[in-house]
Amino acid sequence: MKRLVLVVVALLLLSSTPSSASTSDSHQAPFVAGSTQERLDGVQSWAFAIGTGQLRRLSTRRLRRFDLVIVDGEQASARKVARLQRGNTLVLAYLSVGTIEAGREWFDDAKPHRLELWEDWGEWFADVDSAEFRALLV
């Protein structure tokens, strides 16, 4: 529940922040007409498809019914994202950059950057001040 609240707050902040990108930025052309801000403003329904196996369990056809789908940034395949986007669904990838979760592909590399354990979620807070940790995420 805490993560859901954090994601919703982040989305609200994102949707209320004016876009600073120039409309002449050719490298940020959307896959459908309209700016990201306009698309976020138009979101009427959304699905939170993160967590163990959520994206696998939910069919693309079912998820395309939503204006916005939030997927796990590491578990979502490019194919699945492309199929959702073809249905005109805005797809956002979630990845916690403030914690280190066991089971992630990069967990062993991130171990030196663990701080205290966040017992509620069974993951560690990350030393986000570490340039090495930030480079690992990128």
Side-chain angles (χ1 to χ4, degrees):
M1 189 61 168
K2 288 179 184 178
R3 280 191 184 180
L4 177 59
V5 170
L6 290 173
V7 169
V8 170
V9 168
L11 287 172
L12 289 173
L13 289 173
L14 178 63
S15 67
S16 65
T17 305
S19 174
S20 60
S22 165
T23 55
S24 65
D25 289 344
S26 61
H27 67 281
Q28 294 184 353
F31 65 93
V32 295
S35 70
T36 302
Q37 183 64 50
E38 291 169 333
R39 297 197 61 214
L40 282 171
D41 289 345
V43 168
Q44 300 284 317
S45 62
W46 63 285
F48 201 55
I50 70 167
T52 308
Q54 284 296 322
L55 195 56
R56 258 189 325 271
R57 278 195 285 276
L58 298 170
S59 71
T60 302
R61 185 177 55 160
R62 183 174 176 193
L63 288 172
R64 281 197 308 220
R65 296 178 186 164
F66 296 96
D67 299 323
L68 168 69
V69 175
I70 301 167
V71 299
D72 184 295
E74 184 179 35
Q75 294 176 357
S77 68
R79 181 176 175 220
K80 184 83 163 194
V81 170
R83 288 174 63 197
L84 289 169
Q85 290 175 332
R86 277 195 300 270
N88 205 27
T89 298
L90 181 61
V91 180
L92 296 180
Y94 166 86
L95 179 65
S96 176
V97 296
T99 61
I100 299 170
E101 303 169 81
R104 293 290 183 179
E105 188 175 305
W106 42 269
F107 178 74
D108 288 337
D109 294 332
K111 276 184 178 180
H113 308 287
R114 291 184 302 174
L115 300 175
E116 67 269 9
L117 178 66
W118 186 6
E119 292 184 27
D120 290 347
W121 293 100
E123 56 196 52
W124 290 263
F125 288 103
D127 180 6
V128 296
D129 285 335
S130 165
E132 292 163 353
F133 177 70
R134 292 192 309 268
L136 173 66
L137 288 178
V138 172

